[in-house]
Amino acid sequence: MPKVKEGFVNHDKCINCGLCEKVCPVLNNTPVNNEPKAYACINKDEKIRMDSSSGGTFTLIAEQVINSGGVVFGAGFDEDFTVVHSYAESRESLSNFHGSKYVQSKIGDMYKQAEKFLKQRRQVLFTGTPCQIAGLKSYLRKLYDNLLCVDFICFGVPSTKVWKKYISYHENNIGAPVRRVSFRNKKQGWKRFSMFLSFDNGMKHIESFDKDFFMQAFLKKICLRPSCHACNFKTLHRQSDITLADFWGVQNLLPEMDDDKGTSLVFINSHRGELIFEQIKDKLLYNMVDLNEAVRYNLSAVKSVKQHPNRENFFKELDLISFDALVKKYIQFNVSKIKEN
Ligand SMILES: Cc1cc2nc3c(=O)[nH]c(=O)nc-3n(C[C@H](O)[C@H](O)[C@H](O)COP(=O)(O)OP(=O)(O)OC[C@H]3O[C@@H](n4cnc5c(N)ncnc54)[C@H](O)[C@@H]3O)c2cc1C
């Protein structure tokens, strides 16, 4: 395996034992589910919905699992705003998982922890990118009927190093450490979402996704993990029980479910997914939709994005020039030349 120096994976400690190849979800075929049923969903709890990236469906699933004595694994921030996986055993500690963090989350030893709970016969909800779910299943090498997996339609994950550069850039400008982050602030609407940062000195940064330097680096595909450009998990036959996403295009397909506060597109991929959906559906506004129609507005479900032509230069200069100058140099200059896919 190559060493990746862009803030993604550190193989410096590799002892060439070969175990990673044995459990690699890309090299090994793992069974997948049939084509899903698709729904548009809105959590009736307005506050949770506003704190969530799309319709707040994740929180309902997670609360259901916690209420039945289970454990929920998800991605949150640690004290210096690195995105890391951890687990929650109470409703209060779920709040760190709310909202998308557009950075690769560090899994640490969470597969091992999940296995421990599964063996204790506790119900486990594991949430993450499609490749993280595939990784968990390969790691476990055994099916557990007390495991529920939730992934999402994934555009790709940016590098932690790029994220840290962005945070430092703002902290230096503002002169105080970051206190709170939301990648998907909905104050100006869900479709025109903003990056929100607040700082210890009371200052705030709020910038719409089309102007924020980090969101532009993410959405213009200049800082994604290399494997995201040839993702093996772009399919409607998912390894998860439920897939969550933003219901882009809801205004065309189900205008009555679009108030610009966020609507989730939810795929129910398995019988286990169906059972949990039955348990939470009273707390949702929902409507079944045609799967192919929904995917037409969300091609990241089935197709990897092409990398930005300046990706290599961007990473070469990441340590050399300021974050704003770097983004202006390689992204805004090229904006009109990039064809979206
Ligand atoms: C990196 C990334 C790329 C995405 N790309 C798309 C896309 O192209 N199209 C689309 O429709 N939707 C995409 N999503 C999903 C979307 O942003 C919402 O997360 C999803 O609709 C669920 O929203 P919610 O309102 O139900 O719950 P929320 O509360 O918003 O979701 C929280 C859930 O997301 C998980 N999560 C958050 N950040 C990460 C992370 N870095 N790594 C792993 N898990 C994480 C949490 O563990 C929790 O399970 C992406 C999400 C992420 C994190």
Side-chain angles (χ1 to χ4, degrees):
M1 280 189 184
K3 281 186 185 173
V4 182
K5 288 187 178 155
E6 297 164 346
F8 289 105
V9 195
N10 179 3
H11 292 297
D12 284 348
K13 293 183 181 152
C14 175
I15 53 163
N16 295 312
C17 70
L19 192 58
C20 58
E21 286 181 9
K22 268 194 205 134
V23 297
C24 176
V26 174
L27 299 177
N28 300 293
N29 260 340
T30 315
V32 289
N33 291 310
N34 292 327
E35 270 202 3
K37 288 181 190 153
Y39 294 89
C41 294
I42 290 175
N43 189 330
K44 290 180 187 169
D45 184 321
E46 181 87 354
K47 180 169 181 335
I48 291 175
R49 187 180 175 209
M50 291 308 281
D51 285 345
S52 308
S53 298
S54 58
T57 310
F58 156 73
T59 302
L60 277 182
I61 301 170
E63 286 180 350
Q64 181 66 32
V65 171
I66 296 276
N67 291 345
S68 60
V71 190
V72 176
F73 287 77
F77 293 114
D78 72 3
E79 55 295 332
D80 67 347
F81 290 96
T82 304
V83 180
V84 294
H85 255 70
S86 63
Y87 63 85
E89 295 181 85
S90 67
R91 286 170 69 129
E92 300 70 52
S93 41
L94 281 179
S95 60
N96 194 25
F97 300 156
H98 286 170
S100 294
K101 291 99 191 160
Y102 296 119
V103 184
Q104 185 180 18
S105 155
K106 296 195 168 157
I107 278 288
D109 68 349
M110 288 303 121
Y111 290 162
K112 200 168 158 187
Q113 293 288 346
E115 186 179 37
K116 188 186 85 187
F117 290 123
L118 288 167
K119 286 185 171 160
Q120 291 168 356
R121 302 296 307 150
R122 300 237 346 236
Q123 198 187 349
V124 170
L125 165 62
F126 203 99
T127 65
T129 59
C131 58
Q132 286 172 334
I133 299 302
L136 171 69
K137 294 211 160 171
S138 297
Y139 173 86
L140 294 172
R141 288 195 272 181
K142 177 177 164 200
L143 299 175
Y144 286 89
D145 60 10
N146 49 335
L147 173 64
L148 181 76
C149 291
V150 172
D151 66 357
F152 43 83
I153 293 182
C154 183
F155 186 77
V157 285
S159 137
T160 296
K161 183 170 176 182
V162 172
W163 168 240
K164 288 302 180 75
K165 289 273 170 188
Y166 170 82
I167 291 277
S168 309
Y169 160 77
H170 280 297
E171 289 182 338
N172 290 338
N173 277 351
I174 300 272
V178 166
R179 178 183 290 179
R180 211 165 74 76
V181 174
S182 167
F183 289 76
R184 294 287 298 264
N185 183 288
K186 295 180 180 175
K187 287 238 162 73
Q188 294 174 55
W190 165 57
K191 297 188 201 83
R192 206 177 153 65
F193 63 90
S194 304
M195 171 71 90
F196 171 92
L197 308 175
S198 68
F199 299 84
D200 272 0
N201 61 3
M203 301 275 283
K204 289 181 179 133
H205 161 87
I206 177 153
E207 192 71 274
S208 57
F209 72 90
D210 54 344
K211 296 206 180 70
D212 181 78
F213 291 131
F214 181 81
M215 286 312 293
Q216 279 303 290
F218 169 47
L219 294 170
K220 292 286 186 298
K221 312 137 196 160
I222 207 163
C223 61
L224 300 180
R225 191 181 172 193
S227 56
C228 297
H229 300 296
C231 176
N232 274 273
F233 307 101
K234 298 275 183 191
T235 171
L236 295 180
H237 299 271
R238 298 250 160 184
Q239 298 201 25
S240 62
D241 300 292
I242 296 179
T243 301
L244 302 175
D246 288 287
F247 202 140
W248 302 132
V250 66
Q251 66 278 18
N252 303 323
L253 298 180
L254 279 172
E256 68 277 19
M257 287 193 76
D258 177 32
D259 55 5
D260 207 22
K261 292 179 182 172
T263 307
S264 299
L265 171 62
V266 177
F267 296 162
I268 303 297
N269 304 320
S270 71
H271 180 59
R272 211 167 292 169
E274 234 160 72
L275 290 179
I276 193 106
F277 189 70
E278 280 301 310
Q279 289 165 350
I280 64 165
K281 69 181 192 189
D282 286 350
K283 295 177 183 150
L284 286 168
L285 299 172
Y286 67 94
N287 259 306
M288 198 176 222
V289 288
D290 181 88
L291 176 67
N292 295 316
E293 282 289 295
V295 169
R296 210 155 57 84
Y297 291 96
N298 210 328
L299 288 178
S300 285
V302 288
K303 207 169 157 217
S304 300
V305 292
K306 282 204 190 102
Q307 77 174 45
H308 191 288
N310 284 328
R311 186 184 183 286
E312 207 174 308
N313 292 329
F314 179 90
F315 275 101
K316 262 190 206 150
E317 290 191 44
L318 184 57
D319 289 326
L320 304 178
I321 59 177
S322 69
F323 197 81
D324 58 332
L326 185 67
V327 172
K328 281 183 200 151
K329 181 169 177 182
Y330 287 119
I331 297 171
Q332 298 197 342
F333 179 74
N334 278 302
V335 146
S336 58
K337 293 185 192 156
I338 303 298
K339 201 170 159 284
E340 296 292 326
N341 61 1

